Amino acid sequence: MSWTNERVELLKKLWSEGLSASQIAGELGGVTRNAVIGKVHRLGLSGRAKTTSSASKARRARPNPATGSAAPKRPASQPQSIGATALKADYTPAPAVEARPQVEPIAELVPISQRATILTLTERTCKWPIGDPSTDDFYFCGRQSDPNVPYCVHHCKIAYQPVSDRRSRKVVAQAG
DNA sequence: CCCTGATTCGC
DNA sequence: GCGAATCAGG
């Protein structure tokens, strides 16, 4: 695949919305996350509003295996003011396939950076649905989970608790 | 191990 | 320009 105008526009859009490079690569198709990152840099889009995770620290790269000439290139650190585009994704995630467990108070404690959409779930991400699938406030917990279980440790506790326990837990949560 | 973005450099 | 390989970091 090549970087057509449309694909570049979509890349810009998704990148500005805060999607990760691998997620964007999945959306575009036919490219790897490396390709996406490379393109982002060539477009001068690097450095999003808030560094997603470890953006600010990685600075060194390959130690020149071929030439042996240890010539560090220019850091290329232009300020690159990014327009304050909305961080909120406006694509509508697919509705949950499985029956949706009750929304628990923990939902609001999921860090935004860890939340997942139906598109970003893997075997190792918590699939606990949060919010109403018919709205665009819907997402999945997205925390890391064991490959063998559908939920993170926290939601496993909720999902596999006896119903009576769950109720009392909820009452407490609502009261407080 | 999973993941993230950053960087270099052969093509 | 492109992107795999490689890096540093959570």
Side-chain angles (χ1 to χ4, degrees), chain A residues 74-91:
Chain A
R74 183 191 297 252
S77 55
Q78 312 133 1
Q80 286 293 355
S81 62
I82 293 297
T85 43
L87 286 171
K88 181 186 171 200
D90 62 359
Y91 57 85

Side-chain angles (χ1 to χ4, degrees), chain A residues 93-111:
Chain A
V97 179
E98 300 174 351
R100 182 166 58 91
Q102 284 191 332
V103 174
E104 296 288 336
I106 184 63
E108 292 158 26
L109 297 179
V110 178

Side-chain angles (χ1 to χ4, degrees), chain A residues 103-146:
Chain A
V103 174
E104 296 288 336
I106 184 63
E108 292 158 26
L109 297 179
V110 178
I112 294 177
S113 61
Q114 287 184 16
R115 295 178 183 181
T117 70
I118 188 70
L119 299 173
T120 62
L121 287 175
T122 73
E123 295 107 37
R124 295 177 188 76
T125 49
C126 178
K127 300 166 189 64
W128 188 272
I130 295 167
D132 190 333
S134 63
T135 74
D136 43 26
D137 256 344
F138 179 76
Y139 58 94
F140 293 88
C141 167
R143 286 189 178 91
Q144 294 221 339
S145 67
D146 270 25

Side-chain angles (χ1 to χ4, degrees), chain A residues 5 15-16 25 60 62 67 72 88 95 108 110 116 127 148 153 175:
Chain A
N5 260 320
W15 183 259
S16 70
R60 244 179 304 102
R62 194 203 293 186
T67 62
K88 181 186 171 200
E108 292 158 26
V110 178
K127 300 166 189 64
N148 294 326
V153 283

Side-chain angles (χ1 to χ4, degrees), chain A residues 2-12 28 39 43:
Chain A
S2 60
W3 286 108
T4 63
N5 260 320
E6 291 167 3
R7 288 164 66 79
V8 170
E9 288 307 309
L10 183 55
L11 165 64
K12 288 180 183 175
L28 289 170
K39 187 61 179 175
L43 290 170

